[in-house]
């Protein structure tokens, strides 16, 4: 029997868990060691741990890997990062100082520095064969994908929802979506064309469909599936169910 493989899944918001669960449990059924890794999420509206606790999914926290011994390092990184942003003669720096209150500005930068240190320590300790994130356009997942690449660990990410030309035109979302990931799982061929047009190499793209909908594939063969589906999705009678 070969050596057991390990995958680390990042969970930063509720939909990270619900969307990645099919991959998590699919690897678990294949006898992989799988871990949910989470971090603090002070500004988002949904809890980063509620879904994990509610579903009784064991998880580890990035602060488990960034303890007392790392405090000085995190303090130094935070001070240096805040200094560079404040001193930068750039429009972004002015926007941050104008629209983000000093407390949340400093707190968020420190949170990011904690993640950089904690993620690196986690990779050193857990030694995963792969890291898996919902998508790379995210403050945590971009860091984890970057550190995975730096440490020679493949990172698999996914498509960030429905692709809109406006998002690419205004924020470059497609072109930034696979900067550090080794492979991106996407929904359909039209998405592949959009990502290639944005500069993502074809070898990084794999069309697999919507993994979070896999469990619906055989539902139509079960008695009463329409009624069950309506109840689960909250679709009232009289409304079409596709």
């Amino acid at each position: 029997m070969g050596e057991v493989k390990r995958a680390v899944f990042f969970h930063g918001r509720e939909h990270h868990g619900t969307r990645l669960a099919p991959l998590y449990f699919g690897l678990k059924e294949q006898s992989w060691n799988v871990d949910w890794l989470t971090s603090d999420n002070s500004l988002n509206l949904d809890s980063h741990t509620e879904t994990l606790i509610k579903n009784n999914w064991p998880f580890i926290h990035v602060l488990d890997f960034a303890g007392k011994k790392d405090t000085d390092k995190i303090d130094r990184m935070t001070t240096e990062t805040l200094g560079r942003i404040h001193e930068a003669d750039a429009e972004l720096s002015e926007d941050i100082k104008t629209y983000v209150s000093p407390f949340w500005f400093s707190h968020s930068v420190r949170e990011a520095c904690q993640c950089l240190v904690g993620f690196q320590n986690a990779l050193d300790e857990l030694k995963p064969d792969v890291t898996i994130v919902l998508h790379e356009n995210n403050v945590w997942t971009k860091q984890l994908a970057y550190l995975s690449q730096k440490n020679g660990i493949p990172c698999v990410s996914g498509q960030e929802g429905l692709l809109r030309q406006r998002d690419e035109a205004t924020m470059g979302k497609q072109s930034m979506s696979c900067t550090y990931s080794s492979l991106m799982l996407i929904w359909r061929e039209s998405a592949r064309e959009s990502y290639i047009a944005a500069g993502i190499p074809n070898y990084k793209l794999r069309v697999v469909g919507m993994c979070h909908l896999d469990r619906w594939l055989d539902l139509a063969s079960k008695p009463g599936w329409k009624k069950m589906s309506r109840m689960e999705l909250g679709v009232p009678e009289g409304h079409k169910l596709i």
Side-chain angles (χ1 to χ4, degrees), residues 104-148:
W104 287 119
F105 186 22
S106 301
H107 186 279
S108 298
V109 169
R110 181 174 180 81
E111 199 171 80
C113 292
Q114 285 175 333
C115 284
L116 277 171
V117 173
F119 284 155
Q120 181 59 64
N121 291 347
L123 295 177
D124 289 341
E125 184 173 326
L126 299 173
K127 295 180 170 53
D129 296 279
V130 63
T131 57
I132 299 176
V133 300
L134 182 59
H135 55 79
E136 200 186 298
N137 283 339
N138 176 289
V139 66
W140 308 282
T141 55
K142 185 72 79 176
Q143 293 181 65
L144 185 56
Y146 163 73
L147 290 171
S148 296

Side-chain angles (χ1 to χ4, degrees), residues 163-174:
L163 301 186
R164 301 180 299 185
Q165 290 182 346
R166 183 181 62 191
D167 292 338
E168 174 61 16
T170 58
M171 293 179 281
K173 277 197 168 186
Q174 277 86 281

